[in-house]
Amino acid sequence: MTALPQGVETDHIEFPAGKIRFHRAGGSGPAIVLLHGGGVDNGMLSWRRTVPVLAVDHTVFVPDLPGQGGSRPWHGRADQRTCEEALRWLLDAWRVPDATVVGMSMGGSIATGFALRHPQRVRGLVLAAPTGMQARLDRHLFTYLLVKLRFPGMLWARAMGMSSALTRRVMTRGTFTGSQPAADLESILDEVRAEVRNRGTVFSDWQHGAIDRRSMRINHLPHLDRIRCPTMVIHGEKDGIVPMSASQEAARAIPGAMFRWIADAGHWPSREKPNEFNALLREFVNAHP
């Protein structure tokens, strides 16, 4: 188990459907909530390199979304609506009236949906390679079948859990697609293998609920003009999972939103290019304290 960054505390809250683990750092300054992606992700996997940078002058909360990381077991589907409700429950439990919400990939979809349903509770919004912004995916039917059949995700997870070489191949060819490996790649691979063994699948409940046969059930794009809080959309130049054009279109649809891209980065810029990613986050929070 990789040690937590200095100053990070871990706790959990029990809800009727299960527990939600969260990490907290800082303790002074405005609240920031960091939401991780789906599949084999969890709070510390996405945000390990980001938390110390923000905790200097903010109170940082990093939950493991339902069914992932330490938020297991979870009874029932951990889909878009469930994750949105979990975020509302957590803010209430933390006694945080409003926060800047940062979402990576699936976390970007959760953050967007939450901002649309509860605008008074989102002071600022940062979306990094967000999902849920397209009517259809590339190779949509193929992806739908992989997720719908379920057993491919379970077999893939089992193979990755048994083989460090396969995990490396999957991550470096699918997620970290920049020309230079992440500086702490070995640690990331260990964390990914631990999560995939814990979950038993490489797919999330969000994917099961969001992808229909012919189109996406979750597509925030037609509603983004309702978002009024300061917003930044960030995307890796070489992202092979979510096309940059989807993030660009989302940024154009949100009034006043900024779009930033990170050169030579794939789908997980917070771990592949943490210095560049964190600089953009600091740009945003400094401009919108």
Side-chain angles (χ1 to χ4, degrees):
M1 175 69 76
T2 305
L4 292 174
Q6 186 174 0
V8 175
E9 300 177 348
T10 302
D11 203 345
H12 73 275
I13 300 174
E14 297 284 348
F15 295 105
K19 71 174 182 178
I20 295 182
R21 181 177 73 177
F22 66 93
H23 310 284
R24 177 174 178 161
S28 62
I32 295 181
V33 180
L34 305 177
L35 302 180
H36 62 77
V40 292
D41 201 1
N42 61 49
M44 275 297 116
L45 250 173
S46 267
W47 304 115
R48 178 176 299 279
R49 300 289 298 275
T50 299
V51 171
V53 174
L54 296 176
V56 172
D57 51 7
H58 289 79
T59 305
V60 184
F61 296 93
V62 188
D64 288 344
L65 291 169
Q68 296 182 233
S71 298
R72 299 180 72 251
W74 188 263
H75 306 290
R77 286 287 184 89
D79 56 11
Q80 173 79 26
R81 183 63 68 86
T82 298
C83 290
E84 289 178 19
E85 285 299 289
L87 178 55
R88 182 175 64 84
W89 301 335
L90 287 169
L91 290 174
D92 290 344
W94 296 330
R95 298 183 179 179
V96 172
D98 57 55
T100 294
V101 183
V102 182
M104 174 71 66
S105 191
M106 180 193 79
S109 177
I110 305 304
T112 301
F114 186 80
L116 288 167
R117 292 183 184 279
H118 306 283
Q120 73 282 3
R121 306 206 69 171
V122 181
R123 190 174 60 254
L125 188 64
V126 179
L127 308 174
T131 56
M133 305 294 174
Q134 300 168 258
R136 285 179 57 86
L137 304 175
D138 293 338
R139 300 188 300 170
H140 186 93
L141 182 58
F142 176 72
T143 304
Y144 166 79
L145 291 173
L146 278 180
V147 172
K148 185 71 172 178
L149 292 174
R150 292 185 180 270
F151 73 83
M154 298 169 65
L155 292 176
W156 202 351
R158 184 175 181 182
M160 288 175 65
M162 295 173 61
S163 171
S164 57
L166 176 61
T167 304
R168 175 186 295 275
R169 191 176 304 117
V170 168
M171 296 302 295
T172 56
R173 294 184 180 180
T175 304
F176 297 128
T177 47
S179 61
Q180 299 295 321
D184 53 348
L185 180 60
E186 296 305 320
S187 175
I188 296 171
L189 295 178
D190 288 343
E191 292 179 77
V192 167
R193 291 186 67 208
E195 176 67 16
V196 81
R197 286 194 294 264
N198 186 38
R199 294 266 334 279
T201 180
V202 299
F203 297 127
S204 65
D205 281 355
W206 185 92
Q207 290 166 304
H208 287 287
I211 305 173
D212 206 348
R213 180 184 295 271
R214 292 185 175 85
S215 62
M216 294 292 293
R217 292 193 185 102
I218 304 295
N219 178 17
H220 302 294
L221 192 60
H223 313 291
L224 295 182
D225 61 347
R226 291 166 36 204
I227 293 178
R228 291 292 183 266
C229 65
T231 302
M232 174 184 281
V233 182
I234 303 173
H235 208 95
E237 177 192 21
K238 296 184 177 179
D239 190 332
I241 295 176
V242 175
M244 186 186 292
S245 59
S247 284
Q248 291 171 319
E249 189 172 5
R252 286 193 295 267
I254 299 171
M258 298 176 288
F259 177 79
R260 299 287 187 271
W261 60 277
I262 299 177
D264 199 30
H267 185 62
W268 215 351
S270 63
R271 294 305 300 264
E272 188 174 13
K273 296 280 187 176
N275 293 337
E276 293 87 339
F277 182 85
N278 292 339
L280 291 176
L281 270 188
R282 287 301 326 185
E283 174 192 341
F284 182 83
V285 299
N286 290 345
H288 307 285

